[in-house]
């Protein structure tokens, strides 16, 4: 676990439009079952486009906005480094390959969905996706390990969403100001 913050220190030059396209293209092509853990690895650990804290902040903002988190994040990252051309390059790179793959797999699944091998394959893919999400959650929570306010806000969010099944937007609109107040009082 200590290797994660060390890998986040590496910082590279700002990516160009072609870098954004190829980075998100590879990400879209290789991230079956959940793109966020792989997106963090690509942007933070491999390419050094963002620090771990920047990724977490941007992910929080993208979750707050309507639409898919990774779609929002690709646009935000592209916009951050190369403006509107970067945003278009990143989102086009992200969605080009998966769109073609999904159409092809949809055709195959429609034809063979009743086969036991196909059902078992999708069960295994779901388990792998869950494992990837748990891994990413641990990496995101790791920097908060000594932050009592961060743990409190995280626990309240889990309770609200997972236990009480409250909608995301009102939960975030409640917890964001609470987090700001608690962090400002805690840092005095």
């Amino acid at each position: 676990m200590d290797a994660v913050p060390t890998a986040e220190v590496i910082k590279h030059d700002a990516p160009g439009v072609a870098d954004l396209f190829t980075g998100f293209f590879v990400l879209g092509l290789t991230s079956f079952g959940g793109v966020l853990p792989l997106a963090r690895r690509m942007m933070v650990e491999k390419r050094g486009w963002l620090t771990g804290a920047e990724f977490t902040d941007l992910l929080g903002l993208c979750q707050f906005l309507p639409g898919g988190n990774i779609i929002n994040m690709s646009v935000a990252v592209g916009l951050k480094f190369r403006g509107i051309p970067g945003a278009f390059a990143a989102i086009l790179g992200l969605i080009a390959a998966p769109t073609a793959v999904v159409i092809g797999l949809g055709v195959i699944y429609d034809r063979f969905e009743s086969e036991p091998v196909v059902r078992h394959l999708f069960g295994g893919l779901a388990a792998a996706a869950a494992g990837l999400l748990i891994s990413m959650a641990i990496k995101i929570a790791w920097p908060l390990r000594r932050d009592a306010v961060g743990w409190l806000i995280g626990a309240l969010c889990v309770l609200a969403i997972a236990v009480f099944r409250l909608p995301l937007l009102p939960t975030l609109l409640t917890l964001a100001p609470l987090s700001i107040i608690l962090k400002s009082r805690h840092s005095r």
Side-chain angles (χ1 to χ4, degrees), residues 64 149 152-154 156-157 159-161 166-183:
F64 190 72
V149 173
L152 174 66
I153 295 298
L156 289 173
C157 189
L159 280 173
I161 303 276
L166 298 175
L168 178 63
L169 185 58
T171 301
L172 290 178
L173 289 174
T174 303
L175 291 180
L178 178 64
S179 174
I180 293 168
I181 292 168
L182 290 176
K183 288 297 278 186

Side-chain angles (χ1 to χ4, degrees), residues 26-129:
V26 170
L27 182 65
L29 190 61
T30 59
S31 51
F32 288 87
V35 69
L36 285 174
L38 298 175
R40 187 186 186 285
R41 184 179 307 150
M42 186 268 291
M43 287 188 260
V44 175
E45 298 170 16
K46 285 187 175 177
R47 297 184 183 235
W49 292 349
L50 303 172
T51 65
E54 289 172 329
F55 182 88
T56 301
D57 291 346
L58 200 55
L59 179 61
L61 174 66
C62 291
Q63 286 181 324
F64 190 72
L65 298 173
N69 297 336
I70 191 60
I71 296 290
N72 295 341
M73 187 167 254
S74 69
V75 171
V77 169
L79 200 58
K80 172 184 170 102
F81 291 112
R82 296 294 168 198
I84 292 174
F88 277 111
I91 194 169
L92 185 63
L94 181 67
I95 66 172
T99 300
V101 170
V102 166
I103 289 171
L105 287 178
V107 171
I108 293 170
Y109 182 75
D110 188 48
R111 182 174 168 99
F112 300 106
E113 69 179 300
S114 60
E115 296 292 327
V117 172
V118 173
R119 285 187 277 131
H120 293 155
L121 172 70
F122 278 89
L125 290 174

